[in-house]
Amino acid sequence: MSNDPVIMKPDANKGLDDKLYTVKYEVDEENSHLGVIDPEACIRCERKPCISKCPAEVYRWLENEQELEIAYENCLECGTCRVVCPYDNFEWEYPRGGFGVAYKFG
Ligand code: SF4
Ligand code: SF4
């Protein structure tokens, strides 16, 4: 019998959606911690990378309204949207104390 240590690997069959389903949120119903500074910049923004790069699909482009819909309650607070926005167009802050995402470690 081998004495090699048993290495537990993450469940490779679990998709991102399954993993995100386990994340817990305390939603601040009164305040969004995300917003855009200049909505006109979003109209000019050709690729709108915030939409494709956000792992939690927080952003959606509303074609009729020509504006960004922001489902802030799903935000994982990773900061990616701030980095990828070519117009530095985000108002971004952490949710108020006691609200936001709660990660489970281990
Ligand atoms: S990347 Fe920035 S400018 Fe472009 S749509 Fe998103 S928030 Fe607007
Ligand atoms: S911080 Fe991360 S999860 Fe939250 S909206 Fe930005 S990219 Fe999406």
Side-chain angles (χ1 to χ4, degrees), residues 8 10 18 21 28 33-34 43 50 52 56 62-64 66 82 85 91 93 101:
M8 301 299 288
D18 293 330
Y21 191 69
D28 185 344
H33 65 290
L34 304 172
I43 296 172
C50 59
S52 59
L62 303 176
E63 198 58 48
N64 288 345
Q66 289 289 290
R82 301 171 74 184
C85 176
E91 280 174 348
E93 56 189 17
V101 68

Side-chain angles (χ1 to χ4, degrees), residues 34 53-56 58-59 74-82 92:
L34 304 172
K53 301 299 182 195
C54 172
V58 165
Y59 303 105
N74 295 337
C75 176
L76 299 170
E77 300 164 32
C78 68
T80 303
C81 52
R82 301 171 74 184
W92 196 107

Side-chain angles (χ1 to χ4, degrees), residues 5 12 17 21 25-27 33 45 56-57 75 82 89-90 96:
D17 286 348
Y21 191 69
Y25 301 89
E26 237 5 279
V27 176
H33 65 290
C45 181
E57 298 181 357
C75 176
R82 301 171 74 184
N89 197 22
F90 276 109
R96 291 189 293 162

Side-chain angles (χ1 to χ4, degrees), residues 11 14-26 74 76 100-106:
D11 186 348
K14 259 190 171 180
L16 181 60
D17 286 348
D18 293 330
K19 290 173 184 168
L20 289 178
Y21 191 69
T22 65
V23 174
K24 303 247 181 300
Y25 301 89
E26 237 5 279
N74 295 337
L76 299 170
V101 68
Y103 290 101
K104 191 172 86 179
F105 297 100

Side-chain angles (χ1 to χ4, degrees), residues 30-89:
E30 293 172 16
N31 292 297
S32 170
H33 65 290
L34 304 172
V36 292
I37 298 164
D38 178 9
E40 297 292 319
C42 294
I43 296 172
R44 291 195 305 276
C45 181
E46 283 185 19
R47 291 188 299 112
K48 302 184 185 8
C50 59
I51 295 172
S52 59
K53 301 299 182 195
C54 172
E57 298 181 357
V58 165
Y59 303 105
R60 197 160 66 99
W61 184 250
L62 303 176
E63 198 58 48
N64 288 345
E65 291 83 353
Q66 289 289 290
E67 69 179 26
L68 205 58
E69 181 181 67
I70 304 176
Y72 71 92
E73 60 275 11
N74 295 337
C75 176
L76 299 170
E77 300 164 32
C78 68
T80 303
C81 52
R82 301 171 74 184
V83 175
V84 299
C85 176
Y87 291 91
D88 198 14
N89 197 22

